[in-house]
Amino acid sequence: MRNSVTFGIVFIPKSSKAKNGKAPLYARITLNGERIELSLQRRITQNLWDEQKSRLRGCSAESIQVNGSLDRIYNKIYESFRQLQNENKLLNVSAIKQRYLGADDSFKKLSELLNYHTENMKSILKYGTMKNYYTTERYLYKFLFKQFKAEDIYLKQINYQFITDFEHFLRTYKPKRVRKAPTNNGVMKHLERLKKLLNLAQKLEWVEKDPFAKFTLKFKTSERAFLNEAELKSIENYHFNKLTHQQTRDVFIFSCYTGLSWIDAKNLKPENIVIGIDGRKWIFTAREKTEKPVKIPILPKAMEIIKKYAVHAECSGCLLPVYSNQKTNEYLKQIAISIKLKKKLTFHVARHTFATTVTLSKGIPIETVSKLLGHSKLSTTQVYARVLESKLSEDMRKLMI
């Protein structure tokens, strides 16, 4: 049997701190003769207070609202007492107060979740993915400071309103430096990462409810830029005076004919070139992003580039002379200006060009393209499954015969 305990809760106004007839209200928690007071962060009309009933007298709007609130507070403090009792934890008035405030060890903070995720996932997730989580984390802390003037928050305080307020903060955020504010899909990606973090908290039993249960992530489908046949040929045939532009163009074209991303092209080594099932040369590698194996038959244009850099000092053990991501993007921008291309050139454009102009528009089945791109799901590849205007015209011409 449990030892007998005496426990009580009373509400008292502090007359010594009254101003203009309004006194601050406190809850006094007593356990086995020990007591502690808790500010309720509100003031009540002092002459309406009934000391015997520990409530406001009458049926005024203030009395009804305050008394209802005191009933809820009473029940919550009592529930905190019962929880600690049932959990066989240290039972004293300070522990009851801390549990009521959500400040004891039973309630985890957002910072604890973020730290746990970083420590446990940095060896599992790729650097680029973790970098995105760090960005979301910075936005969360900026939001906490602006919205709550706080550096942290308890996980149990994160609800639907928190999510919608965070969404509004992201949409209206104005960077101090010369950077673009998050786009709609950028905002959704931050919320998606927060959702994954809170799913982790649920699995750890740090929270009971899913704040995202009634929230829908709304991504906008955007047109993926790619090069048509004429644009691709213009880059291939253009003579660049600068060596950096020549090499960047070659690696970009290589990606257009293999579908490899910048990092996957950079990681290629001579040993990744093997003889395939058809007796021809293939690229056998794995995507850096997903570690999914990729097997790509080498098309003639890609093979020309491989042979060009077969013996090249700058490659130093790698297959191609790939510059840093920052330098590559800088050179691609300059290349686009040189050939008077209005589209923004990136390695994503090269990958999209492979999916559309080089493969799908030539009648290659989407299932095959999905394998070549290293996608885990066919639905991912369907984003690229556009029909080019020239192909559309060609197909419609058949109906006119």
Side-chain angles (χ1 to χ4, degrees), residues 290-304:
T290 61
E291 297 183 355
K292 187 176 177 62
V294 179
K295 299 177 181 180
I296 308 166
I298 303 177
L299 296 174
K301 287 286 184 181
M303 183 56 72
E304 285 179 21

Side-chain angles (χ1 to χ4, degrees), residues 113-123 130 134 137:
L113 177 61
L114 294 171
N115 291 337
Y116 181 92
H117 180 268
T118 298
E119 290 302 315
N120 287 273
M121 295 297 172
K122 65 183 178 183
S123 60
M130 286 304 301
Y134 297 147
E137 181 177 325

Side-chain angles (χ1 to χ4, degrees), residues 249-267:
R249 182 269 312 276
D250 289 343
V251 176
F252 177 84
I253 294 300
F254 178 82
S255 180
C256 287
Y257 285 98
T258 60
L260 291 175
S261 65
W262 169 83
I263 188 61
D264 293 335
K266 184 177 178 63
N267 289 340

Side-chain angles (χ1 to χ4, degrees), residues 361-373:
S361 67
K362 299 294 193 301
I364 303 299
I366 192 171
E367 294 82 2
T368 302
V369 177
S370 185
K371 289 285 186 183
L372 293 171
L373 291 171

Side-chain angles (χ1 to χ4, degrees), residues 148-391:
F148 304 102
K149 297 294 184 288
E151 296 180 354
D152 210 347
I153 192 173
Y154 288 100
L155 292 175
K156 69 171 189 172
Q157 294 175 272
I158 299 178
N159 52 19
Y160 181 87
Q161 184 178 343
F162 179 96
I163 297 167
T164 55
D165 287 346
F166 183 46
E167 178 189 7
H168 178 73
F169 168 80
L170 291 170
R171 291 190 185 281
T172 57
Y173 180 76
K174 295 181 180 178
K176 292 182 180 179
R177 289 182 289 178
V178 184
R179 293 173 59 189
K180 291 182 179 179
T183 61
N184 175 79
N185 286 3
V187 170
M188 290 300 114
K189 291 301 288 185
H190 287 302
L191 292 172
E192 185 178 55
R193 285 187 280 273
L194 176 59
K195 181 177 182 179
K196 289 179 179 179
L197 287 165
L198 292 171
N199 283 341
L200 173 62
Q202 271 194 297
K203 291 176 182 177
L204 293 168
E205 298 183 352
W206 289 1
V207 292
E208 294 180 4
K209 297 179 181 179
D210 177 16
F212 276 89
K214 295 181 180 179
F215 187 91
T216 303
L217 295 169
K218 297 177 182 177
F219 287 94
K220 290 182 180 178
T221 303
S222 57
E223 284 294 307
R224 305 250 175 148
F226 66 97
L227 302 181
N228 57 34
E229 288 278 4
E231 292 166 337
L232 183 56
K233 293 300 178 187
S234 69
I235 297 179
E236 288 179 32
N237 299 330
Y238 193 90
H239 176 73
F240 294 98
N241 294 321
K242 291 185 177 180
L243 179 63
T244 53
H245 289 177
Q246 291 175 26
Q247 294 180 347
T248 301
R249 182 269 312 276
D250 289 343
V251 176
F252 177 84
I253 294 300
F254 178 82
S255 180
C256 287
Y257 285 98
T258 60
L260 291 175
S261 65
W262 169 83
I263 188 61
D264 293 335
K266 184 177 178 63
N267 289 340
L268 281 182
K269 293 180 170 49
E271 52 264 35
N272 292 123
I273 308 300
V274 301
I275 302 299
I277 193 171
D278 55 0
R280 299 174 183 273
K281 288 187 177 181
W282 288 47
I283 294 173
F284 276 29
T285 185
R287 290 203 67 198
E288 173 77 13
K289 184 177 179 180
T290 61
E291 297 183 355
K292 187 176 177 62
V294 179
K295 299 177 181 180
I296 308 166
I298 303 177
L299 296 174
K301 287 286 184 181
M303 183 56 72
E304 285 179 21
I305 295 169
I306 290 173
K307 288 179 179 178
K308 180 178 179 178
Y309 295 100
V311 180
H312 198 277
E314 289 185 32
C315 292
S316 61
C318 294
L319 197 68
L320 301 170
V322 182
Y323 295 103
S324 70
N325 193 35
Q326 183 178 358
K327 285 293 182 183
T328 297
N329 288 329
E330 180 184 331
Y331 296 147
L332 285 175
K333 184 178 180 180
Q334 293 167 1
I335 288 170
I337 294 172
S338 297
I339 64 172
K340 296 180 172 58
L341 183 70
K342 293 182 179 179
K343 294 177 181 176
K344 181 182 178 182
L345 284 186
T346 66
F347 254 81
H348 289 302
V349 171
R351 190 165 161 84
H352 301 164
T353 300
F354 174 76
T356 53
T357 306
V358 175
T359 56
L360 288 171
S361 67
K362 299 294 193 301
I364 303 299
I366 192 171
E367 294 82 2
T368 302
V369 177
S370 185
K371 289 285 186 183
L372 293 171
L373 291 171
H375 289 163
S376 301
K377 298 180 293 184
L378 187 62
S379 59
T380 307
T381 317
Q382 287 170 342
V383 175
Y384 302 93
R386 71 187 77 222
V387 181
L388 304 180
E389 288 182 8
S390 58
K391 185 73 165 59

Side-chain angles (χ1 to χ4, degrees), residues 7-68:
F7 175 71
I9 307 164
V10 294
F11 299 109
I12 53 170
K14 289 278 187 175
S15 301
S16 59
K17 297 181 179 181
K19 289 183 180 179
N20 301 321
K22 296 279 189 177
L25 200 55
Y26 285 74
R28 178 178 291 166
I29 305 169
T30 306
L31 179 68
N32 296 333
E34 182 187 12
R35 65 170 57 170
I36 196 168
E37 290 184 352
L38 169 68
S39 172
L40 302 185
Q41 304 297 319
R42 72 180 307 154
R43 289 176 173 268
I44 52 98
T45 303
Q46 193 172 2
N47 60 16
L48 291 179
W49 186 252
D50 188 326
E51 190 173 344
Q52 189 174 5
K53 293 181 178 179
S54 198
R55 294 291 189 277
L56 288 180
R57 291 188 297 268
C59 298
S60 66
E62 180 188 3
S63 296
I64 293 171
Q65 197 274 331
V66 169
N67 291 342

